[in-house]
Amino acid sequence: MNQRLRFPVIILNFKTYKEATGASALSLARIAEKIAGETGVEIVVAPQNVDLYRVASSVSIPVFAQHVDPVTPGSSTGHTTVEAVKESGAAGSLVNHSEKRLRLSDIRTCVAKLREAGLTSLVCAGDAVESSAASAMNPDIVAVEPPELIGTGIPVSKAKPEVVSETVERIRRITRDVRILCGAGISGADDVAAALKLGTDGVLLASAYVKSKNPEKLLKEMAEASLGRR
Amino acid sequence: MNQRLRFPVIILNFKTYKEATGASALSLARIAEKIAGETGVEIVVAPQNVDLYRVASSVSIPVFAQHVDPVTPGSSTGHTTVEAVKESGAAGSLVNHSEKRLRLSDIRTCVAKLREAGLTSLVCAGDAVESSAASAMNPDIVAVEPPELIGTGIPVSKAKPEVVSETVERIRRITRDVRILCGAGISGADDVAAALKLGTDGVLLASAYVKSKNPEKLLKEMAEASLGRR
Amino acid sequence: MNQRLRFPVIILNFKTYKEATGASALSLARIAEKIAGETGVEIVVAPQNVDLYRVASSVSIPVFAQHVDPVTPGSSTGHTTVEAVKESGAAGSLVNHSEKRLRLSDIRTCVAKLREAGLTSLVCAGDAVESSAASAMNPDIVAVEPPELIGTGIPVSKAKPEVVSETVERIRRITRDVRILCGAGISGADDVAAALKLGTDGVLLASAYVKSKNPEKLLKEMAEASLGRR
Amino acid sequence: MNQRLRFPVIILNFKTYKEATGASALSLARIAEKIAGETGVEIVVAPQNVDLYRVASSVSIPVFAQHVDPVTPGSSTGHTTVEAVKESGAAGSLVNHSEKRLRLSDIRTCVAKLREAGLTSLVCAGDAVESSAASAMNPDIVAVEPPELIGTGIPVSKAKPEVVSETVERIRRITRDVRILCGAGISGADDVAAALKLGTDGVLLASAYVKSKNPEKLLKEMAEASLGRR
């Protein structure tokens, strides 16, 4: 496991929202950096790859790529290498997000390449069965995100708690070495608390933060909710 | 057509070579900037997307992305939007490189999105027939690159001149509004001269520049060869 | 061009509808065969590939595959070769249907392989621009089908006649050697007549036939409408 | 688990070899049927999907598809539904062959759909780690096939026995409910015996059978070798 990450963690996926692109990506990352500093909670931001260097070279919190390609440096025009992600200053990468699903064999390659480079791998999966398969490939983190709830504002930790607890249970039968997050619909501090109570190590969210009228306030409340656990 | 680009042009694709990633991407871009300044020849560099901002915010020559995704900003984690490419300071993008082939309908979408954003589109194609199909979608530039010669050091402009001239002929039957480049195996000044004689507006190359022991000398010779045309 | 096909033509895509799979595919093909015999109109059926042999070895009208892969016979498990399609008795194949979009370079390969095997290629495209690009690769037939109308019952020939006429115009600037069909929302005899008036050589339809309570009556009316042209 | 399959099993993948397409697919299937009858050993053939009905409706041994798509019947032109595979008379399907790799989430969907239809699912994987991930999705069978040995004639059971035994070990930590095969380079009776000694329930092979000058003799020897185990 990459040394840099502490748990519980809040991971903010910027997707390709206009409100989180370019200079705006940097602003949203700086708010996250501020709240991480104030609360002591680990917060990670994941801007789109074009913005990775711009963000990672400017903030002190961990920055993740949203995707890496399972390629070796060289003749792979248009792809993103783990090596470039590392050199940009990023600390890890999402793998297999529901909006960028990968082949089983490519997930395995990406996880291995990230590990080799000393970067953290976070594999997304859509349900408990997929999550357990992901965990068998020994990533650092697995995040369960039912695709039907992504972007809805209906939090998985409240609407489908059984998906989260079944995920924890299935993964734990296979390995104790992977951290488990949940995502999809996470909108407020309550959802974070509910996620941690279900046995996860944190949350993954996107639109609720990116589109918030007051992202600083929202994130502070979420960070404090995550501290309630300890 | 985007106003910024002049022809003939030399486009340097950095692919995902280690020698052209991160700080090294910037060094190779600065050499290109220097030669462009000294010779007055238009030179474009195309680093991988993670390095796009780092390079485009540091040099004054045009910088291209190697790939854009045909998506609308929002829920498309792991993709690259035209909007992010534009905000990084880039001037255009390759589309459909032989190492990142796209669906016909996605090429059409990418070309339209780049045009709308005021960015230059360069669609790659593998032979004269594919090139003519690409030209029917009205990109700014089409580059013909027989995949079997890419990375070989055997220049298409010498080894398969008939592919280049057939490409020019087929495209011209469809439109006069697209610029035509050739690539694959372009290694020296002679290959550039040969390409221009065949009726193209420039060349696209990668390994010959990236892996050169003296990229500055090579590029200067190529730039001068391209001036011999006028 | 494959000799067997006459125009105007009505092409019935069975997609993967349950009502058009297995024994039901054969029944729907036999109805088409009957109407083709009674009216003298060329009618083609396109069942899913698993049903191709079953249908093609049982009816006398032309049968098309819904998709072929751009592979050479050998190590391509899970793919469909043009050679197998031919040996099944099929007369041609759809290529690049909106539900199975292909890369530009793969469309080009499929069209060439079908031609070489003496089979008819029908390339689908989503609008006039994509259709003109498709026509530059010299398939036998191009079918324009705006994806947003597919399956709606709103016929392109009535709702967006300008898409059809622009397609005809753009293609004719490139080649006179390709036949042009239109599809998407074709539901009744009127839509067929409208399509032919716009300068096409026939129609491509799916759900209206497959889900009809009286497919025989519907097809007979459509066939007769297509004769009204001559 | 589908009731029809007995172990040890020999699965013959016809890929898209010309020698195993159309009428030739049927001949090779009939030889397999004969040897299965003579030896009592379970032998399965997997022709390409276009030939599935032709073979499955003619022989009494189990026939597998080489691939199914994770789609629901309806608007999925060019895809292969589990429903069509079942109606063709097939007993199961390969999933995720190294020549047709699938996304993790699609493997999960295909396995579930095959189970629901009463068909056997055989998920291929490239090494022990991928195999264990595959087993977490509860298919009936997992086959480990190191891609670098496929088609070489160098049998995995002899050249890389540790890959096979590590696969067995990793899978058994997760589940006892899945059967394990090995493939890649399986060429003769010895390789079958070696595979069974390593704890597998059978083999998957292609070119050695399809390209054999005497497929009947080869298969008989393999079948007898598999009996030596009991």
Side-chain angles (χ1 to χ4, degrees):
Chain A
M1 163 67 75
N2 186 287
Q3 301 295 329
R4 269 169 291 184
L5 224 58
R6 289 170 295 112
F7 293 87
V9 68
I10 295 171
I11 301 190
L12 304 167
N13 177 9
F14 289 0
K15 295 195 175 182
T16 60
Y17 288 114
K18 272 189 192 171
E19 300 88 343
T21 293
S24 304
L26 193 50
S27 306
L28 284 172
R30 286 208 164 115
I31 292 172
E33 184 184 34
K34 186 184 169 203
I35 302 301
E38 288 175 9
T39 61
V41 171
E42 187 83 303
I43 302 175
V44 174
V45 293
Q48 73 168 283
N49 287 352
V50 168
D51 293 325
L52 202 59
Y53 174 80
R54 191 172 186 173
V55 172
S57 63
S58 306
V59 297
S60 59
I61 57 173
V63 178
F64 277 16
Q66 290 178 12
H67 168 71
V68 291
D69 286 298
V71 298
T72 298
S75 295
S76 48
T77 299
H79 293 80
T80 294
T81 59
V82 167
E83 287 76 5
V85 166
K86 183 170 189 178
E87 193 168 336
S88 77
S93 183
L94 307 191
V95 175
N96 194 46
H97 188 273
S98 77
E99 292 155 11
K100 189 78 176 178
R101 287 291 191 227
L102 300 187
R103 296 170 180 169
L104 173 67
S105 51
D106 289 342
I107 295 173
R108 191 245 189 290
T109 302
C110 290
V111 167
K113 281 184 180 292
L114 287 164
R115 163 102 3 121
E116 218 175 293
L119 301 181
T120 298
S121 56
L122 187 173
V123 179
C124 301
D127 63 13
V129 170
E130 285 173 40
S131 295
S132 67
S135 78
M137 293 185 278
N138 300 312
D140 296 312
I141 309 170
V142 168
V144 62
E145 296 196 297
E148 67 277 15
L149 294 181
I150 292 180
T152 58
I154 303 169
V156 62
S157 50
K158 286 178 172 173
K160 297 202 174 180
E162 71 284 1
V163 169
V164 180
S165 47
E166 192 196 339
T167 297
V168 173
E169 194 187 315
R170 276 184 177 265
I171 290 180
R172 287 298 169 240
R173 268 186 252 150
I174 294 179
T175 174
R176 299 214 69 83
D177 294 340
V178 67
R179 296 288 190 153
I180 305 171
L181 308 183
C182 77
I186 303 293
S187 308
D190 280 4
D191 309 335
V192 175
L196 298 179
K197 264 183 209 145
L198 289 165
T200 70
D201 298 300
V203 295
L204 182 59
L205 70 151
S207 59
Y209 179 69
V210 169
K211 304 223 164 209
S212 173
K213 285 181 184 169
N214 195 339
E216 185 170 336
K217 179 165 172 285
L218 175 76
L219 190 54
K220 186 151 198 179
E221 290 166 1
M222 286 185 163
E224 283 165 355
S226 81
L227 288 173
R229 182 203 200 184
R230 303 186 214 171
Chain B
M1 162 66 79
N2 185 286
Q3 301 295 329
R4 271 169 287 183
L5 225 58
R6 289 170 294 112
F7 294 88
V9 68
I10 295 171
I11 300 190
L12 303 167
N13 176 8
F14 288 0
K15 297 194 172 182
T16 59
Y17 289 114
K18 273 189 193 172
E19 301 88 342
T21 293
S24 304
L26 193 50
S27 304
L28 283 172
R30 286 208 163 114
I31 292 172
E33 183 184 34
K34 186 184 170 203
I35 301 302
E38 287 175 12
T39 61
V41 171
E42 188 83 302
I43 302 175
V44 175
V45 292
Q48 70 169 285
N49 286 353
V50 168
D51 293 324
L52 203 59
Y53 174 79
R54 190 171 186 174
V55 172
S57 63
S58 306
V59 298
S60 58
I61 57 173
V63 178
F64 276 17
Q66 290 178 13
H67 169 71
V68 290
D69 286 298
V71 298
T72 298
S75 295
S76 48
T77 300
H79 293 80
T80 294
T81 59
V82 167
E83 287 76 5
V85 166
K86 183 168 190 180
E87 194 168 335
S88 78
S93 183
L94 309 190
V95 175
N96 193 47
H97 188 275
S98 77
E99 293 154 11
K100 189 78 176 177
R101 287 292 192 228
L102 300 187
R103 295 171 180 169
L104 173 67
S105 51
D106 289 341
I107 296 173
R108 191 246 187 288
T109 301
C110 289
V111 167
K113 281 185 179 291
L114 288 164
R115 164 104 1 121
E116 219 174 291
L119 301 181
T120 298
S121 57
L122 186 173
V123 179
C124 300
D127 64 12
V129 170
E130 285 174 40
S131 295
S132 68
S135 78
M137 293 183 278
N138 299 312
D140 296 311
I141 310 171
V142 169
V144 62
E145 296 196 297
E148 67 277 14
L149 295 180
I150 291 180
T152 59
I154 304 169
V156 61
S157 51
K158 285 177 170 173
K160 298 203 173 178
E162 72 283 2
V163 169
V164 181
S165 47
E166 192 196 340
T167 297
V168 173
E169 196 187 311
R170 274 183 179 264
I171 290 180
R172 288 298 168 240
R173 266 185 253 150
I174 293 178
T175 174
R176 298 214 70 81
D177 294 341
V178 67
R179 296 291 190 151
I180 306 171
L181 307 184
C182 76
I186 302 293
S187 307
D190 280 6
D191 308 335
V192 176
L196 298 179
K197 264 184 209 144
L198 288 164
T200 69
D201 297 302
V203 294
L204 183 59
L205 69 151
S207 58
Y209 179 68
V210 169
K211 303 225 164 209
S212 173
K213 285 181 185 171
N214 195 338
E216 184 169 338
K217 180 165 173 285
L218 175 76
L219 190 55
K220 186 152 199 179
E221 290 167 2
M222 285 185 162
E224 283 165 355
S226 81
L227 289 172
R229 182 203 199 183
R230 305 187 212 173
Chain C
M1 161 68 76
N2 185 286
Q3 300 294 329
R4 270 169 291 182
L5 224 58
R6 289 169 295 111
F7 294 88
V9 68
I10 295 171
I11 301 191
L12 303 167
N13 176 8
F14 289 180
K15 297 196 174 181
T16 59
Y17 289 114
K18 272 188 193 172
E19 299 88 342
T21 293
S24 304
L26 192 50
S27 304
L28 284 172
R30 286 207 164 115
I31 293 171
E33 184 184 35
K34 186 184 169 204
I35 301 302
E38 288 175 11
T39 61
V41 171
E42 188 83 300
I43 301 174
V44 175
V45 293
Q48 71 168 284
N49 286 352
V50 168
D51 293 325
L52 203 58
Y53 174 79
R54 191 171 186 173
V55 173
S57 64
S58 306
V59 298
S60 59
I61 57 173
V63 178
F64 276 17
Q66 290 179 12
H67 169 71
V68 291
D69 286 299
V71 298
T72 299
S75 295
S76 47
T77 300
H79 293 79
T80 295
T81 59
V82 167
E83 287 77 5
V85 166
K86 183 169 190 179
E87 194 168 336
S88 78
S93 183
L94 308 190
V95 176
N96 193 47
H97 188 274
S98 77
E99 292 155 10
K100 188 80 176 175
R101 288 291 192 228
L102 300 187
R103 296 170 179 168
L104 173 66
S105 51
D106 289 342
I107 296 173
R108 191 246 188 288
T109 301
C110 289
V111 167
K113 281 184 180 291
L114 288 164
R115 164 101 3 119
E116 217 173 294
L119 301 181
T120 298
S121 57
L122 186 172
V123 179
C124 300
D127 64 13
V129 170
E130 285 173 41
S131 295
S132 67
S135 78
M137 294 184 276
N138 299 313
D140 295 312
I141 309 171
V142 169
V144 62
E145 295 196 297
E148 68 276 15
L149 295 181
I150 291 180
T152 59
I154 304 169
V156 61
S157 51
K158 286 178 171 173
K160 297 203 174 179
E162 71 284 2
V163 169
V164 181
S165 46
E166 192 197 338
T167 297
V168 173
E169 197 187 313
R170 276 183 178 265
I171 290 179
R172 287 298 168 240
R173 269 185 250 150
I174 293 178
T175 174
R176 299 212 70 81
D177 293 341
V178 67
R179 296 289 191 152
I180 305 171
L181 307 184
C182 76
I186 302 294
S187 309
D190 279 5
D191 310 335
V192 175
L196 298 179
K197 264 184 209 144
L198 289 164
T200 69
D201 297 301
V203 295
L204 183 59
L205 70 151
S207 58
Y209 179 69
V210 168
K211 304 223 164 209
S212 172
K213 285 181 185 169
N214 195 339
E216 183 168 338
K217 180 165 172 285
L218 175 76
L219 190 55
K220 185 152 198 180
E221 289 167 3
M222 285 185 163
E224 281 164 357
S226 81
L227 289 172
R229 182 203 199 183
R230 304 188 212 168
Chain D
M1 163 67 78
N2 185 288
Q3 300 295 328
R4 269 169 291 184
L5 225 58
R6 289 170 294 113
F7 294 88
V9 68
I10 295 171
I11 300 190
L12 304 167
N13 177 8
F14 289 0
K15 296 194 173 182
T16 59
Y17 289 114
K18 272 189 193 172
E19 299 89 343
T21 293
S24 304
L26 193 49
S27 304
L28 283 172
R30 288 209 163 112
I31 292 172
E33 183 184 34
K34 187 185 170 202
I35 302 301
E38 287 175 11
T39 62
V41 170
E42 187 83 300
I43 301 175
V44 175
V45 294
Q48 70 169 284
N49 286 352
V50 168
D51 293 325
L52 202 59
Y53 174 79
R54 191 170 186 175
V55 172
S57 63
S58 307
V59 298
S60 58
I61 57 173
V63 178
F64 276 17
Q66 292 179 12
H67 169 72
V68 290
D69 286 298
V71 298
T72 298
S75 295
S76 48
T77 300
H79 294 80
T80 294
T81 58
V82 167
E83 286 77 5
V85 165
K86 182 168 191 182
E87 194 167 335
S88 78
S93 183
L94 308 190
V95 175
N96 194 47
H97 188 275
S98 76
E99 293 154 11
K100 189 77 176 177
R101 286 291 192 229
L102 298 188
R103 296 170 181 168
L104 173 67
S105 51
D106 289 342
I107 295 173
R108 191 246 188 290
T109 302
C110 289
V111 167
K113 281 184 179 292
L114 287 164
R115 164 101 3 119
E116 217 173 294
L119 301 181
T120 298
S121 56
L122 187 173
V123 179
C124 299
D127 62 14
V129 170
E130 285 172 41
S131 295
S132 67
S135 77
M137 293 183 278
N138 299 312
D140 296 311
I141 309 172
V142 169
V144 61
E145 295 197 297
E148 67 276 14
L149 294 181
I150 292 179
T152 59
I154 303 170
V156 61
S157 51
K158 286 178 171 173
K160 297 202 173 179
E162 72 284 2
V163 169
V164 180
S165 46
E166 192 196 339
T167 297
V168 173
E169 195 187 314
R170 275 184 179 265
I171 290 179
R172 287 297 169 240
R173 267 185 253 151
I174 294 178
T175 174
R176 298 214 69 82
D177 293 340
V178 67
R179 296 289 190 153
I180 305 171
L181 307 183
C182 77
I186 302 293
S187 308
D190 280 5
D191 309 336
V192 176
L196 297 180
K197 265 184 208 145
L198 288 164
T200 69
D201 297 301
V203 295
L204 183 59
L205 70 150
S207 58
Y209 179 69
V210 169
K211 303 223 164 211
S212 172
K213 285 180 183 170
N214 194 338
E216 184 169 337
K217 180 164 172 286
L218 174 76
L219 190 55
K220 186 152 198 178
E221 290 167 2
M222 285 186 163
E224 283 165 355
S226 81
L227 289 173
R229 183 203 198 183
R230 304 189 215 171

